[in-house]
Each structure stands twice: as C-alpha cells, then as structure tokens.
Amino acid sequence: MMGDVLVLTAFVYGIGSAIIPILNAEAYVAATALVLGNVDIVIMVVAVSVGTTVGKVVLFRGARAGREVARKRPARERADPGRIRVALRRLAEILIGWLEHPLRAVATVFVSSFVGIPPLLAVAVVAGASSMRTDVFAAAVFVGRTGRFALIALAAYGLV
C-alpha cells in the first residue's frame, strides 16, 4: 500500500513540477530520498521521471497545437511590432531551425533534461513548435530526467 502511494505521489508531483515552475522536482527527489530505502528510491526516481516526462509532453503538444492554429489563422499585420517582439520572434525561429535537425534536437532535449540548461520548460515549447517527433522528445526527456533524478537521490542518500 505504501508503495502505491509513493508511486502515485511521485508521479503526480512530477507532472505538477513539469508544468508549474515553483514546484521543484529536484527538491522533492532529494527530500524523499532522505527518508526512503534503496528500492523505494529507484521506484520514486522512475515515477517522478515518468511524471515530468508526461508534463513536458503536455507542454510540447500544446505548443504543437498552437503552431497548427497559428498556421491556419490569417496573419495580422501590426503597425510596429517593436524591437523586443521582433528579437524574440527571430530567436524562436533560430531555435526552431536548430531543433529541426534530428540529432541536434535529441541532444538539446537530453542536455536540457539532464543538466537544466537551457531550461527544459522553454525547450519543450520550442521543440513542440518544431518538427521533432513526440516519441523522440519523450524518450530524450525521460532518459535525461531519470539520470538527473538518480544522481540527486544518490547524493541525498549519501551514495555519491
């Protein structure tokens, strides 16, 4: 029974932390690892990783849906879009172009998932606007987050 609660809690917290930046999955993993045994740590790390992956896929798919809506809607011309808006649009186009290459896309998502730079929240949205496949995105996020959370849990537990 306790194992089921642990898995469900870790999974739900993972989803929440993927979408709501103030919920810190790393802090959750570290704190939880301090009170769990070895086997439970592994289960918790996988559950949080799956949860964060699900949450990031929601963001990814939301960006993809927004891209499709924007393509179907007639373009509005603004009198003066402003320097900041033009710069942000240009940066987004550069990032989307970067993520159009499959190997660069996987590497970027993996590094973002594992290291945290660039922020995975932003990478998920930009990747969703690119042509990156959802399953490839999810796999890269899951592997990166699992590695990151495993290292955090091991460090908190005193094994690293």
Side-chain angles (χ1 to χ4, degrees):
M1 180 66 179
M2 180 60 179
D4 295 342
V5 171
L6 169 72
V7 171
L8 182 61
T9 303
F11 175 73
V12 170
Y13 195 91
I15 292 173
S17 72
I19 298 169
I20 305 166
I22 197 167
L23 298 177
N24 189 303
E26 290 81 355
Y28 175 86
V29 168
T32 308
L34 290 172
V35 297
L36 294 177
N38 289 340
V39 174
D40 289 337
I41 288 174
V42 172
I43 294 167
M44 181 265 303
V45 163
V46 171
V48 173
S49 298
V50 171
T52 57
T53 300
V54 168
K56 295 304 180 188
V57 168
V58 167
L59 294 173
F60 176 93
R61 296 298 301 168
R64 174 93 15 111
R67 179 189 71 178
E68 297 304 319
V69 168
R71 284 184 179 166
K72 292 176 183 174
R73 189 174 49 181
R76 293 185 314 189
E77 289 297 323
R78 291 181 167 239
D80 180 20
R83 289 186 353 206
I84 293 175
R85 187 178 297 253
V86 169
L88 287 174
R89 185 173 292 139
R90 191 172 302 132
L91 178 61
E93 289 170 0
I94 290 168
L95 293 173
I96 291 169
W98 173 265
L99 293 175
E100 291 297 332
H101 186 276
L103 187 56
R104 285 192 306 236
V106 170
T108 302
V109 172
F110 172 77
V111 168
S112 177
S113 299
F114 187 77
V115 178
I117 299 172
L120 186 55
L121 181 76
V123 170
V125 172
V126 173
S130 75
S131 62
M132 185 176 196
R133 291 183 9 211
T134 305
D135 58 337
V136 173
F137 172 81
V141 169
F142 177 75
V143 171
R145 297 311 271 177
T146 301
R148 179 180 179 95
F149 295 148
L151 285 176
I152 291 169
L154 290 171
Y157 197 67
L159 297 177
V160 174

